[in-house]
Amino acid sequence: MSRRRLLPAVMLVAIVLCANLKPAQAAPQLLFFPETGQTIADEIYQFWQATPQPLKTLGYPISRPFLQARATEPGSFLRVQYFERAVLEEHSTADQHLLILGRLLGDELVAGRRSEAPFQPVAQPAALTSWDAVTQHALADSPAPFKAFYTQQGGLPIFGRPISEQFIERNADTGATYWVQYFERQRLEWHPDADPLFQVMLGRLGDEYRLAHPEQIDPTAFVAAGSGPAVPTHLVYGVNAALFYTDHARVLGLAHAAGFGWTRQQVRWRDLQGSLDHRLAWDELDVVVAAAQREGIKLLLSIDQAPDWATGVPGTSGLPDRAHYADYAAFVGAMAQRYQGRVQAYEIWNEINLEVEDAPQPIPAPTDYVDLLAQSYAAIKAADPQALVISGPLAPTEWAGDQRVAISDIVYYQALFADQRFWDHLDVVGVHLFGCSNPPDTLWPAQPGPGPGWTNSREFYFRYIEDLRQLMVTSGHGNRQIWVTEFGWATTNSTPGHEFGNNVSFGQQAMYLGRALELARAQYTPWLGALFVWNLNFAVTWSAAGNPQHQMASYGILNGDWSPRPAYTAIQQFLKQ
């Protein structure tokens, strides 16, 4: 939560690197296309980069890679990725390298038309034309300038050999007629009335083949990453929990019994990939994910705290330097690949507007954070298109006054919201807010809380979310959802800076949490998509560590002995309604 790490923290538990380590993979080469919600990676990415004018030649990717049966070899499969104008296939060479080839779509789409006149072989023509001796078809610049386009845009490797002459054909997409010519991998179309740069166009053969052969494709592969269906349409109720090295079944069972459908767990990158050889240790996270799946609880993982090799400064656990942003993206991508379908959401960093969350790096500029978010989004969506990506929630920091310590969340959000790349690389916006000792319905200055103290800034109130919502509306993105991944009320504690909790009894905490849930459901949906209570069982872990009065424990809805506080019962009653 905000301000919780401005003081030296006692770590709850340490996730130790285990003996059965697996080598980390190299950072993937990725390119995400928000136009279709799909990503290209690795060898297909390299093929794309080597293709002249790839958007014009291949079009946007319209699927993720998936296995497709070979039409000519029953029981044999190829890994393929569909583009608007092509289908790219992965073939293994003799030395086990991958070779990317475009499918002979032209051949396949005209298989039943070979008897038509344009597909009949012709004799070698006169000068100013080319003639393919294998297919016995000509390539000319009249009436359509196909020969020049063919030569300039990649020739034989891209289009294959000509398999027809030029002829007039009706386009199934538009209903108009054009001069066309078919090649093994493509169809060229002449649009003489278009802009000169677009008079020769390539047919959307990849999309045409997909529509013509639905029995051959995996329809889920064509679902856009981050598309609407991935975002729950109902209000999500979740709880923050400490799941590492604890009684997983007990924690998750209590979350389920309260009525929570989601649990948020913070994951420290440095604990899973801290060794100098970058090896990954998944063991304890594997246990947590499996336990959540058994209990029927959905998981949101919040990933922060870089290893020393990514910060460049031993003994730190903040933001990686810019040279290692790709390593963070590769790490969250590997996580999404490993837990595909079992972890439902990923949060990219935590409270990045606080210096303590980023050191040894300075607080990054909003544009730098968007770079980290964009790379991470592409990696996650390439591995698990249905996983939600949540922007890192900011800490309410109007109190700070020193930009070396914290940057105002309002100022930071304004900069993020003005950057279209931010909106192109997230599913929902992450937010943190806390009520201090103020009841949920109050808001400064018109309806201030009772005090003493912590009443004269809107950030000290649960309804501060209304200000953040207004920022989104003003930025032109009022159609997007907010997820509050931490909110709550502290009770009596001994942590400096959290004295407001001493004004809140267990009974008041219960009333405030219950009323906040009620207020959110009645007034803030559908733009508010989720509320995650801070927190379930931190009083248990902090009591075990010998500090039961720590502020993190005071936010808990369980006591240190696992017994329910009034807040747990109040939430349980609300969620059962």
Side-chain angles (χ1 to χ4, degrees):
M1 68 159 286
S2 57
R3 294 179 294 278
R4 71 173 181 275
R5 294 181 193 156
L6 292 180
L7 300 164
V10 178
M11 302 312 300
L12 300 179
V13 291
I15 305 176
V16 291
L17 293 172
C18 303
N20 54 338
L21 299 173
K22 298 179 176 64
Q25 297 179 345
Q29 294 177 297
L30 299 164
L31 185 59
F32 176 75
F33 295 83
E35 295 85 357
T36 59
Q38 301 293 352
T39 297
I40 59 173
D42 299 328
E43 286 82 3
I44 289 179
Y45 172 88
Q46 294 166 18
F47 184 94
W48 170 275
Q49 293 288 80
T51 301
Q53 293 187 281
L55 272 179
K56 191 172 185 178
T57 305
L58 302 174
Y60 291 114
I62 58 174
S63 82
R64 60 173 170 79
F66 65 100
L67 291 176
Q68 187 173 57
R70 294 176 187 254
T72 56
E73 298 179 36
S76 178
F77 294 83
L78 279 175
R79 192 166 182 262
V80 302
Q81 185 164 16
Y82 277 59
F83 291 72
E84 290 173 304
R85 309 183 193 283
V87 176
L88 300 186
E89 303 174 338
E90 293 182 354
H91 294 263
S92 295
T93 63
D95 58 359
Q96 299 303 307
H97 285 87
L98 282 180
L99 177 65
I100 306 300
L101 294 175
R103 179 174 293 176
L104 303 180
L105 287 180
D107 268 345
E108 295 196 34
L109 286 170
V110 302
R113 302 176 61 187
R114 294 294 189 175
S115 62
E116 296 176 20
F119 299 93
Q120 299 301 305
V122 299
Q124 185 171 0
L128 302 179
T129 63
S130 297
W131 184 73
D132 191 295
V134 176
T135 62
Q136 299 183 56
H137 284 288
L139 186 58
D141 279 329
S142 178
F146 289 154
K147 178 184 175 183
F149 184 90
Y150 179 94
T151 303
Q152 294 166 5
Q153 298 301 319
L156 183 64
I158 301 298
F159 304 107
R161 300 179 185 278
I163 58 173
S164 81
E165 296 301 294
Q166 294 191 22
F167 66 103
I168 294 176
E169 184 179 67
R170 180 179 178 275
N171 186 286
D173 282 345
T174 66
T177 56
Y178 307 111
W179 282 95
V180 303
Q181 185 168 14
Y182 280 83
F183 295 78
E184 290 173 312
R185 294 189 171 92
Q186 250 302 340
R187 177 184 67 235
L188 300 189
E189 301 172 353
W190 188 35
H191 300 252
D193 296 327
D195 183 285
L197 292 174
F198 300 100
Q199 287 182 348
V200 177
M201 297 287 290
L202 290 100
R204 293 172 52 86
L205 268 61
D207 205 34
E208 289 179 29
Y209 187 86
R210 172 180 70 92
L211 296 173
H213 298 280
E215 75 284 355
Q216 295 184 18
I217 67 168
D218 175 4
T220 66
F222 293 81
V223 176
S227 60
V231 180
T233 56
H234 57 280
L235 184 59
V236 165
Y237 299 103
V239 67
N240 287 266
L243 291 169
F244 287 130
Y245 296 101
T246 188
D247 188 339
H248 315 94
R250 189 174 189 180
V251 177
L252 290 163
L254 284 163
H256 186 270
F260 293 112
W262 287 65
T263 297
R264 176 177 179 262
Q265 170 67 55
Q266 290 184 297
V267 178
R268 302 186 304 193
W269 177 20
R270 65 188 176 98
D271 289 329
L272 275 70
Q273 200 179 19
S275 60
L276 292 177
D277 60 7
H278 300 192
R279 291 187 178 185
L280 290 160
W282 298 110
D283 300 67
E284 180 64 8
L285 188 53
D286 281 348
V287 174
V288 168
V289 171
Q293 193 170 21
R294 284 193 300 271
E295 192 61 48
I297 296 283
K298 294 181 178 179
L299 276 177
L300 161 58
L301 300 183
S302 177
I303 305 107
D304 61 1
Q305 297 197 30
D308 289 352
W309 57 262
T311 67
V313 181
T316 59
S317 59
L319 194 71
D321 59 40
R322 281 194 58 86
H324 289 96
Y325 280 14
D327 292 300
Y328 176 87
F331 174 68
V332 296
M335 187 179 292
Q337 180 69 49
R338 187 176 187 87
Y339 302 121
Q340 183 179 16
R342 295 186 292 153
V343 171
Q344 288 71 32
Y346 297 89
E347 195 173 71
I348 307 305
W349 215 259
N350 181 70
E351 300 182 346
I352 202 162
N353 61 322
L354 291 183
E355 184 272 340
V356 71
E357 296 282 353
D358 305 324
Q361 317 308 330
I363 297 173
T367 52
D368 290 338
Y369 173 71
V370 173
D371 289 342
L372 180 68
L373 175 65
Q375 293 182 53
S376 303
Y377 181 92
I380 290 169
K381 294 298 186 178
D384 186 356
Q386 290 305 304
L388 291 172
V389 176
I390 302 169
S391 64
L394 304 183
T397 53
E398 289 292 300
W399 52 271
D402 184 346
Q403 292 198 0
R404 294 170 299 178
V405 174
I407 295 177
S408 160
D409 56 319
I410 292 289
V411 172
Y412 210 98
Y413 274 125
Q414 284 174 328
L416 292 177
F417 292 173
D419 189 336
Q420 184 56 43
R421 293 182 308 139
F422 176 75
W423 300 106
D424 290 341
H425 295 96
L426 59 82
D427 294 301
V428 292
V429 177
V431 164
H432 286 175
L433 63 146
F434 294 87
C436 296
S437 56
N438 299 305
D441 288 285
T442 58
L443 183 63
W444 183 82
Q447 297 173 273
W454 306 93
T455 60
N456 61 348
S457 172
R458 294 171 73 87
E459 74 167 31
F460 301 149
Y461 295 81
F462 176 77
R463 287 179 56 196
Y464 182 55
I465 191 174
E466 296 171 14
D467 294 359
L468 302 180
R469 161 66 178 170
Q470 187 56 48
L471 282 182
M472 288 176 60
V473 172
T474 302
S475 74
H477 296 279
N479 61 325
R480 303 299 289 267
Q481 270 194 0
I482 289 173
W483 278 31
V484 176
T485 60
E486 291 183 13
F487 86 101
W489 278 265
T491 54
T492 300
N493 66 87
S494 59
T495 303
H498 292 263
E499 295 86 355
F500 47 79
N502 299 326
N503 301 327
V504 180
S505 68
F506 283 175
Q508 288 173 312
Q509 181 194 44
M511 287 190 295
Y512 295 169
L513 283 168
R515 174 55 183 157
L517 294 173
E518 184 179 63
L519 187 64
R521 184 167 66 183
Q523 298 188 27
Y524 296 158
T525 56
W527 56 263
L528 176 61
L531 283 169
F532 284 76
V533 173
W534 179 265
N535 59 69
L536 180 64
N537 64 319
F538 281 28
V540 175
T541 55
W542 278 99
S543 293
N547 191 358
Q549 291 297 304
H550 191 275
Q551 56 91 2
M552 287 193 189
S554 78
Y555 281 91
I557 59 174
L558 295 177
N559 290 307
D561 63 359
W562 294 92
S563 61
R565 290 181 179 173
Y568 180 93
T569 304
I571 291 169
Q572 186 179 52
Q573 291 173 348
F574 173 86
L575 294 180
K576 284 185 176 180
Q577 294 176 8

